[in-house]
Amino acid sequence: MTASCQSVSITVPADAVWVSLAQMAAENGAGVFGLPSAKALRLTMGVEELLLYLAQTIPGQDVRITISGRSTHVAAEFEFASEGMDLSALNITSGAAHDEDDIFVSMPLLLASRMTDGFSVERMGERTRIALRVDRVYQEVDPSPAVRGAVRGAVSVIPAPEAAVMVDACARVCGLYPVHLVPVWFRTPGKVVNMVDSGEMGFLAAVDESGATCGMVCWEAPSKESVAFYGPYSFTESPAVSRLLVEELVRTVGRTSVKVVFSHIATEDLSGHGFEPLARVTYYAATGEAPCVLPIWYRHLREDFGASVWAHPDLVPFLEERYDELVLMRDIRPTSGMGERASDASVFSTRLTRELNEAVLRPMLNGIDNAENLARHLAALRKEGFQNIFFQVDLSSGWQAALGGDLLAMGFTPAMLLPHGGQSDVVMFQYVEPAA
Amino acid sequence: MSNLPLDRLVPSHIRLFEPYYPSLPDRELMRLYRLDHLHRLNNNENALGPPPAVSEMLEKVEAGVFPVYPGGDSRELRQALADKHGKTPEQFLVGNGSCELISSVVKAFCEAGDNIVTADQTFAVYEWVAEFSGLDARLIPLKAYAFDPEAMLAAVDGRTKIIFVCNPNNPTGTYWSRDVLCRFLDRVGGQQIVVLDEAYFEYVERDDYPDGMRLLERYPNLIVFRTFSKMYALAALRVGMLCASEELVDIVRRAHVAYSVNTLGQLAALEAIRDDADFVARTRAMVARAKGMLSELFADMGLESLAGEGNYVMVKTPMSDTLLHRKLLRQGLMVRTMTGFRFPNWIRISLVQEPVMREFCTAFRQLLDTR
Ligand SMILES: Cc1ncc(COP(=O)(O)O)c(C=O)c1O
């Protein structure tokens, strides 16, 4: 997939004297790339916060700041050599004071993340990238009346239809389906159109002979080897529409390098379409509505000839059961961290999606303080109001797998096992609030 | 990760191309799946083979042949092929499997901006070679599971250099009759190279099935592919061949690596065609029996299946093909999933000896019944 992108970059030393230049670049860029001024201001403040922070942690080092206009958002990315840096500064909880009460005031990364709609820290080899994201503003659509029509004539499925069809389809979905089955951005179909145009999202519409749209399904690629879909949404009483959409989805992604398809939001039981149940994940809405349980369906697109994975001994029973149910052959190699070489301070990357009330943590660097760091993250994110806190462990990595013990001890449970969800299979741990 | 400037070094069509990952070696698979036996029904190999004369010859091979390079142009094998088919040795080119020849033909005729035309549900190597060579592969949907001549002709333009026709088609087993093929070649009118891949030629017993070798004089733009991997059961030795006019072969040879066919492969192929009638007949009988068994099973279970020509059949299963693959593998039976071939939830099964087929039928029925 190629995303359309325009960008400007500046390289400045990490020093407070350059903050105003960086702010100007951010404000100007955000405006040129189409953010309204209130949103541009938020990006500018995030950039200020971040550069000031880097001026303290890597004083004087070159930082490349790139402001990019992407299909649905404007991003500010900070890239710098992490060599010689105290990497623990990349934890979103970095700078936390010991005093529980003013804990957030002194967490600059968390502060920067608050200004924006999305935040991520990634390490790529010797370089580190921190990205701030501010979403474009889209017009909300009025949901179409909640009536299902009849199909006229044969139904055909068309990929990436014209914008008007996509907008209409989103409005129909909003009218027909309960909120928990509809991704929030369906309410702003302009965003969907932009994502499809830029290749970030795949889209299939079902159309009958009269030209009426009678269903849709769409998908994104969360990793190189997987796609996650939303739907199938049918606007008719005919079960054929869903079947055609799912078949065409599998046919379309079956042509690519993708190994597995799973559902982000599945609207119906997909066992009749060659899908296998993977998990049931509880999701908490930001608005305080009752939590919903989302069944996750999945299907392999290719042969799986087996593999080796690492696992903390406490997780082995879960994995054995899941692998057996999924008929996946795995050599499970237990590991609990044998005191092998680890740095003083661990680093976790954090991806925050505020509209979903969701935080996804991933381990980046093994440290002797893994457990404490995990506790710090958990406390900070809970205080910040995140209710859907996930920790992603790639079982191709021994030290990551060994974190399973700490995670279980801290109240996380393995919410799902995603075959080929990363380098290898991935376990998504989810934090479960202790019963009151 | 290295610091190589791969963005600059690697062309975009290679960066975007997905490498092919073959299955694990038998021993490793058997260990992982805790199997005491493994039947490979995934690659359309001939489980009877190789012909007895080949086995005897291979047993007598002396180590002295190994330090010496093989004959660089497979001269003796080409002579034997010429005698067998009534051609000249210069009309043959031998390759390291027909896969290598696909590559040689594409290199010989195509340059940047050119395209090839083939079907979207056929042997994938035509498409792959085109794509990793930076060429456009125009993939035409099958019609009633067969190559669609009209749609393929419609896709041809001034930059189309090669049309690949798989006859019979892997995996659907459909074929073009002599009439359909000749009409197609007439319409192409010599403007493109037409590759007729007859990898499963020796399996077909239909009266109206054309022998591409007999059409070379009439159609000088025709190149016929055959392989020793299928009927002759020499897949491990990698020997394939093409036959065309001397003029075309001379051109393809320029893009073809000499010495790519090893000595054992050349010797075995030579032996395989010397006296093949009995072996071919026995293999055909085995395949026919197996085809009958599976067709009956699938009909009995009410499943849609395709049992055309070739030593394979396909069936559409009411569950995920990839899940069924894993469940069958757990019982020592390896089939090919077809979702990647653009047949979601179909599997393809190679046709082998009766006891193995019976084992497959039992396992298949039981897995679907207890779903
Ligand atoms: C249609 C077709 N052509 C060519 C080949 C490749 O054969 P070889 O082993 O000669 O490379 C195959 C093998 O599966 C095939 O099915």
Side-chain angles (χ1 to χ4, degrees):
Chain A
M1 288 192 190
T2 52
S4 67
C5 166
Q6 314 159 274
S7 65
V8 287
S9 295
I10 52 169
T11 301
V12 294
D15 189 316
V17 298
W18 296 109
V19 164
S20 60
L21 179 66
Q23 281 177 308
M24 259 158 59
E27 190 173 357
N28 223 304
V32 172
F33 297 140
L35 283 190
S37 59
K39 283 232 150 185
L41 184 64
R42 288 173 50 194
L43 190 73
T44 310
M45 283 159 59
V47 164
E48 173 191 4
E49 201 63 48
L50 206 49
L51 189 57
L52 282 173
Y53 177 64
L54 293 177
Q56 286 170 18
T57 47
I58 47 166
Q61 275 200 38
D62 277 357
V63 179
R64 186 182 161 89
I65 304 174
T66 304
I67 313 293
S68 315
R70 305 279 168 97
S71 55
T72 60
H73 63 267
V74 176
E77 286 164 353
F78 289 64
E79 217 186 295
F80 45 91
S82 21
E83 206 180 341
M85 165 184 192
D86 173 8
L87 289 169
S88 68
L90 297 177
N91 286 306
I92 199 167
T93 52
S94 171
H98 292 288
D99 176 0
E100 271 278 310
D101 285 341
D102 65 353
I103 191 166
F104 299 123
V105 186
S106 50
M107 289 189 213
L109 287 183
L110 195 58
L111 208 60
S113 83
R114 276 194 203 150
M115 325 264 179
T116 59
D117 299 309
F119 171 88
S120 67
V121 183
E122 302 285 346
R123 250 183 98 203
M124 309 157 301
E126 293 302 301
R127 296 186 70 76
T128 293
R129 181 169 61 197
I130 303 181
L132 303 174
R133 194 193 87 218
V134 174
D135 291 340
R136 297 185 187 284
V137 179
Y138 291 95
Q139 204 184 332
E140 288 229 3
V141 74
D142 291 327
S144 303
V147 279
R148 289 182 200 272
V151 175
R152 274 160 293 181
V155 176
S156 53
V157 176
I158 44 175
E162 63 168 299
V165 174
M166 291 194 262
V167 172
D168 175 50
C170 289
R172 303 283 298 272
V173 172
C174 292
L176 282 167
Y177 285 85
V179 204
H180 72 276
L181 292 182
V182 183
V184 276
W185 30 269
F186 270 34
R187 280 181 246 142
T188 51
K191 182 170 182 174
V192 176
V193 172
N194 281 355
M195 287 195 283
V196 173
D197 285 348
S198 70
E200 285 164 57
M201 173 157 283
F203 194 107
L204 293 171
V207 193
D208 71 12
E209 270 174 22
S210 74
T213 314
C214 41
M216 64 155 286
V217 64
C218 62
W219 66 93
E220 344 168 75
S223 76
K224 208 173 143 262
E225 301 197 328
S226 60
V227 302
F229 66 90
Y230 303 85
Y233 299 100
S234 172
F235 314 147
T236 74
E237 302 292 352
S238 160
V241 172
S242 291
R243 182 176 50 76
L244 284 173
L245 284 167
V246 175
E247 274 180 9
E248 195 54 35
L249 165 70
V250 170
R251 220 189 300 269
T252 306
V253 293
R255 288 166 181 247
T256 66
S257 60
V258 165
K259 282 192 182 149
V260 294
V261 190
F262 55 91
S263 65
H264 233 310
I265 295 182
T267 51
E268 55 186 88
D269 185 316
L270 292 172
S271 53
H273 300 302
F275 278 75
E276 303 166 48
L278 194 59
R280 296 174 63 78
V281 178
T282 306
Y283 239 82
Y284 298 89
T287 49
E289 289 148 33
C292 63
V293 177
L294 275 183
I296 309 290
W297 295 88
Y298 110 112
R299 144 195 236 303
H300 255 76
L301 291 169
R302 310 196 189 167
E303 285 98 346
D304 185 306
F305 290 108
S308 291
V309 294
W310 295 101
H312 186 276
D314 293 347
L315 199 66
V316 170
F318 165 80
L319 288 178
E320 280 178 344
E321 193 187 321
R322 290 306 292 134
Y323 281 132
D324 189 54
E325 283 163 2
L326 296 170
V327 200
L328 286 167
M329 291 303 145
R330 297 291 186 263
D331 272 338
I332 302 178
R333 302 193 217 161
T335 174
S336 46
M338 308 300 288
E340 67 273 30
R341 211 158 52 96
S343 60
D344 291 342
S346 58
V347 183
F348 303 151
S349 83
T350 310
R351 198 186 65 225
L352 303 179
T353 310
R354 288 188 184 264
E355 66 190 5
L356 297 178
N357 201 14
E358 176 193 81
V360 181
L361 300 172
R362 275 189 300 143
M364 288 201 300
L365 188 66
N366 191 16
I368 48 181
D369 70 338
N370 282 327
E372 295 84 350
N373 197 15
L374 189 56
R376 271 195 300 272
H377 276 79
L378 191 56
L381 291 169
R382 287 175 66 205
K383 269 210 159 161
E384 189 72 2
F386 288 97
Q387 286 173 290
N388 301 300
I389 303 175
F390 295 95
F391 197 102
Q392 182 178 333
V393 167
D394 196 313
L395 302 184
S396 65
S397 149
W399 71 266
Q400 286 195 26
L403 290 173
D406 292 331
L407 286 161
L408 292 173
M410 218 152 286
F412 281 84
T413 57
M416 69 177 139
L417 169 69
L418 277 177
H420 301 283
Q423 284 265 75
S424 164
D425 302 339
V426 158
V427 175
M428 269 292 189
F429 288 87
Q430 183 175 24
Y431 178 70
V432 181
E433 289 286 341
Chain B
M1 271 202 291
S2 68
N3 287 324
L4 289 175
L6 292 180
D7 279 357
R8 181 172 59 78
L9 292 173
V10 185
S12 61
H13 60 266
I14 294 294
R15 226 177 300 136
L16 296 174
F17 192 78
E18 180 63 15
Y20 176 75
Y21 296 104
S23 66
L24 295 174
D26 285 15
R27 227 162 33 143
E28 183 61 12
L29 267 180
M30 289 171 68
R31 189 190 62 75
L32 258 176
Y33 277 72
R34 296 182 202 94
L35 300 174
D36 56 10
H37 70 285
L38 176 64
H39 298 300
R40 282 191 178 260
L41 308 177
N42 64 327
N43 278 340
N44 302 344
E45 292 148 351
N46 182 354
L48 270 195
V54 174
S55 310
E56 282 163 31
M57 183 279 298
L58 287 172
E59 272 166 28
K60 293 194 207 111
V61 170
E62 287 181 11
V65 306
F66 295 118
V68 184
Y69 275 101
D73 60 358
S74 308
R75 181 182 300 260
E76 275 180 84
L77 177 55
R78 286 189 296 116
Q79 183 63 58
L81 289 166
D83 295 343
K84 184 179 164 82
H85 296 286
K87 309 273 175 207
T88 66
E90 287 69 35
Q91 286 187 269
F92 290 90
L93 185 62
V94 183
N96 190 263
S98 37
C99 285
E100 188 194 27
L101 293 164
I102 295 172
S103 200
S104 301
V105 170
V106 168
K107 279 187 211 139
F109 294 104
C110 299
E111 56 190 326
D114 289 343
N115 65 69
I116 64 133
V117 170
T118 187
D120 71 340
Q121 291 161 310
T122 186
F123 187 54
V125 176
Y126 321 129
E127 170 190 346
W128 290 344
V129 170
E131 284 183 350
F132 66 58
S133 307
L135 305 166
D136 179 22
R138 302 194 169 169
L139 308 178
I140 311 306
L142 298 183
K143 192 170 171 184
Y145 298 119
F147 272 62
D148 179 354
E150 285 305 320
M152 290 175 74
L153 287 166
V156 169
D157 67 14
R159 295 305 299 267
T160 304
K161 291 291 185 67
I162 309 173
I163 305 171
F164 284 94
V165 179
C166 189
N167 209 41
N169 187 31
N170 170 14
T172 56
T174 52
Y175 67 95
W176 278 357
S177 67
R178 192 172 298 105
D179 285 352
V180 173
L181 177 63
C182 288
R183 252 192 322 245
F184 180 81
L185 289 166
D186 289 337
R187 296 271 299 279
V188 172
Q191 293 306 297
Q192 278 77 31
I193 298 296
V194 176
V195 168
L196 192 63
D197 185 348
E198 298 182 336
Y200 299 93
F201 176 85
E202 299 84 359
Y203 285 99
V204 190
E205 298 179 76
R206 302 280 180 166
D207 289 341
D208 62 346
Y209 175 68
D211 176 347
M213 297 254 201
R214 304 267 82 76
L215 298 172
L216 293 176
E217 279 70 40
R218 200 163 137 198
Y219 299 104
N221 59 328
L222 185 62
I223 300 182
V224 173
F225 279 26
R226 300 267 175 95
T227 179
F228 286 89
S229 303
K230 303 300 173 185
M231 174 59 84
Y232 295 107
L234 297 179
L237 294 177
R238 312 299 302 120
V239 191
M241 55 132 169
L242 64 76
C243 185
S245 69
E246 290 188 8
E247 188 185 11
L248 282 193
V249 172
D250 181 55
I251 289 164
V252 179
R253 203 198 328 267
R254 297 174 202 193
H256 188 77
V257 180
Y259 296 100
S260 72
V261 187
N262 68 74
T263 304
L264 287 188
Q266 293 185 32
L267 290 173
L270 204 51
E271 200 60 50
I273 54 171
R274 212 187 289 284
D275 181 15
D276 58 5
D278 176 55
F279 180 73
V280 168
R282 279 192 295 128
T283 303
R284 284 177 173 177
M286 170 188 77
V287 167
R289 233 182 346 263
K291 201 174 285 183
M293 280 172 73
L294 294 197
S295 301
E296 200 175 308
L297 171 77
F298 299 146
D300 188 48
M301 295 177 73
L303 299 176
E304 186 181 356
S305 70
L306 283 171
E309 307 310 307
N311 61 338
Y312 44 85
V313 297
M314 283 176 73
V315 61
K316 182 169 193 192
T317 79
M319 67 196 283
S320 150
D321 56 339
T322 47
L323 175 61
L324 182 59
H325 168 266
R326 303 196 303 272
K327 289 189 167 180
L328 285 166
L329 191 50
R330 199 148 68 169
Q331 305 194 26
L333 295 157
M334 194 197 299
V335 298
R336 176 60 67 92
T337 66
M338 286 282 116
T339 294
F341 260 91
R342 296 152 194 169
F343 280 104
N345 296 335
W346 290 70
I347 59 169
R348 190 192 64 195
I349 308 114
S350 304
L351 301 170
V352 302
Q353 293 97 329
E354 199 169 324
V356 181
M357 289 288 96
R358 219 175 297 124
E359 191 179 325
F360 170 83
C361 291
T362 310
F364 183 84
R365 188 188 276 280
Q366 180 242 331
L367 284 175
L368 292 189
D369 283 352
T370 57
R371 231 162 15 110

